[in-house]
Amino acid sequence: MSLADHAATAAYLRAGQPPVRAIAPLAAGVWCVEDADGRKVVVKHQLFGRLTQGTAYDLLEVERDVLGFLHTAGCPVPVVLGIDQEAHYIFLQWVGARTLDDAIQDGDQVPTMQAIRGLCAIERTCAQRADQLEPRVVPSANHPSLAAAWDEAGARAHVGIKQLCSHLQRPLDLGLSPLLEAMHDWLAARPAALGSVDYNAHNAVVEPGGTRVYFLEFAKIGWDWTERRLTQYTTSMGSGRQDGRICSLLDAPAARLYAEVSGRSDGARALDYHRIFFLLNSAALLCAALSGEPHALALRQRWKRPHVRLRQCAAMLAESLSTDPSAAEFRGRLQFCLSPRGGTL
């Protein structure tokens, strides 16, 4: 179904407004609609809205309500202008077209501090609304589902270490596994927070002028760790770009800022660990694509130059975000494996 073909949507856009001048696609099922006065509105078709209609976790209603109270609390999210429940469209304030992924890839000056403060504000606001939000958690993101997904991520991280060493033709240090297991268990024991479960650098937008980062996609709410969300929001994979690379906004000063803003004295440590797991999971997927495994073939089409990406992944694993001794030992052992003669990757 195209946006232009839907009569109810067209009527909504015309009601009391200047005529529509242009409709441009932003992503699958998302358009920017510009009127004759140059004002813009984002229209998103909730493709799976019909499947959840009438449930407590109705995608369209959840996104409207969550964005509503987040905006009221001053969080960096777009304003909801309305919904079309019959056709499953939501109408949103235009906050820019440049995703955080594009901005990071192109080396733009991104307001990292604002992104960290904004995500922490979203977490606090969701926590204040926990009684209202918890019944609306999508089943695939409840506590048992998070625990199962985290165990899968842990297992894949172990595969990532082995495959990374294998593809870079380096020896494997067996002492890495118990260190990784200890970090996994420590993270698993931390309390999760309510928030979006669609967190990646494509679902955040840098406003024109580059002074603020807005967070998008709140149709599915669930439990996860804010440090995991922040890691993935601020890491760009450059999917689909010929010159795409793995790169991140996070560094040690950013991790210290997160610990301060979140009020968690161990926040930098948690962020450090979560990035290790994210990078090792990425390495496992890259190696699967390089090996021609069927489940990773589509990934190879999106992640260009997989050999280069794998080396970028290894280089980022060497970058510390905290002073945690376990993370430091893990990195030391891993880097000794990957460059045993003191050479560079």
Side-chain angles (χ1 to χ4, degrees), residues 34-47:
E34 184 176 356
D35 69 21
D37 290 341
R39 290 175 295 194
K40 296 178 179 179
V41 173
V42 173
V43 183
K44 184 176 74 169
H45 181 218
Q46 189 53 260
L47 183 61

Side-chain angles (χ1 to χ4, degrees), residues 199-216:
Y199 46 84
N200 61 69
H202 286 285
N203 287 341
V205 169
V206 181
E207 72 173 352
T211 57
R212 199 177 195 199
V213 174
Y214 285 84
F215 295 89
L216 315 176

Side-chain angles (χ1 to χ4, degrees), residues 11-22:
Y12 178 92
L13 292 170
R14 286 197 303 265
Q17 300 295 330
V20 171
R21 179 168 67 187

Side-chain angles (χ1 to χ4, degrees), residues 103-231:
I104 297 171
Q105 285 291 314
D106 294 338
D108 293 359
Q109 290 293 319
V110 177
T112 308
M113 179 185 299
Q114 296 304 320
I116 292 171
R117 293 188 185 281
L119 189 59
C120 288
I122 288 170
E123 182 203 328
R124 286 193 296 270
T125 304
C126 286
Q128 292 165 3
R129 299 275 186 146
D131 289 346
Q132 297 170 249
L133 283 180
E134 191 157 10
R136 308 184 77 175
V137 166
V138 66
S140 60
N142 57 24
H143 281 298
S145 296
L146 174 61
W150 185 238
D151 284 344
E152 290 177 11
R156 196 179 300 116
H158 285 278
V159 172
I161 291 176
K162 295 174 184 176
Q163 292 298 317
L164 183 64
C165 290
S166 175
H167 277 268
L168 297 180
Q169 298 181 332
R170 299 292 194 261
L172 174 66
D173 182 346
L174 296 178
L176 288 166
S177 287
L179 285 168
L180 193 63
E181 199 64 40
M183 289 189 286
H184 175 276
D185 292 348
W186 184 81
L187 288 172
R190 289 169 61 79
L194 283 166
S196 172
V197 296
D198 286 334
Y199 46 84
N200 61 69
H202 286 285
N203 287 341
V205 169
V206 181
E207 72 173 352
T211 57
R212 199 177 195 199
V213 174
Y214 285 84
F215 295 89
L216 315 176
E217 298 298 337
F218 287 85
K220 290 188 289 186
I221 295 298
W223 294 98
D224 214 314
W225 296 281
T226 302
E227 297 86 7
R228 193 180 186 203
R229 291 185 175 103
L230 181 58
T231 294

